[in-house]
């Protein structure tokens, strides 16, 4: 007997995961304050942001350099110009 994956259940899981990541980005990461026991929202940490990055990459979501103002602004705010990586060192 073969088991087949329930595609509707997988779609629902995918959508719930995407919604959870989106909510974390917009509302912050929910954590419990040790002292008060209250739920507080913090800026997502690097590991959480990496999960979002990998999720987008795994699903073919990317932006070409120079085509998105948010990415351009982020790149412009970096404390280095990128000139240290000349084309001769790239693979």
């Amino acid at each position: 007997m073969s088991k087949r994956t329930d595609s509707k259940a997988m779609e629902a899981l995918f959508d719930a995961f995407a919604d959870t990541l989106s909510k974390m980005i917009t509302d912050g990461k929910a954590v419990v304050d040790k002292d008060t026991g209250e739920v507080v929202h913090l800026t997502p940490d690097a590991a959480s942001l990496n999960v979002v990055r990998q999720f987008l990459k795994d699903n073919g979501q990317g932006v070409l350099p120079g085509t998105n103002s948010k990415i351009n602004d982020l790149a412009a705010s970096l404390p280095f110009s990128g000139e240290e990586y000349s084309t001769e060192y790239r693979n």
Side-chain angles (χ1 to χ4, degrees), residues 62-72:
V63 178
L64 294 174
T67 62
N68 181 285
S69 63
K70 299 284 184 185
I71 297 296
N72 294 345

Side-chain angles (χ1 to χ4, degrees), residues 1 6 8 12-13 15 22-23 25 30 36 38-39 47-48 57 59 63 67 70 74 76 78 83 89 91:
M1 183 194 309
D6 181 347
K8 289 188 183 214
L13 180 60
D15 290 347
S22 180
K23 185 173 170 55
I25 294 293
T36 65
E38 294 181 20
V39 175
S48 298
K57 183 178 178 183
N59 288 284
V63 178
T67 62
K70 299 284 184 185
L74 178 61
L78 295 174
E83 292 174 1
Y89 296 113
N91 292 334

Side-chain angles (χ1 to χ4, degrees), residues 34-45:
K34 292 179 189 176
D35 297 328
T36 65
E38 294 181 20
V39 175
V40 294
H41 294 274
L42 303 175
T43 301
D45 58 358

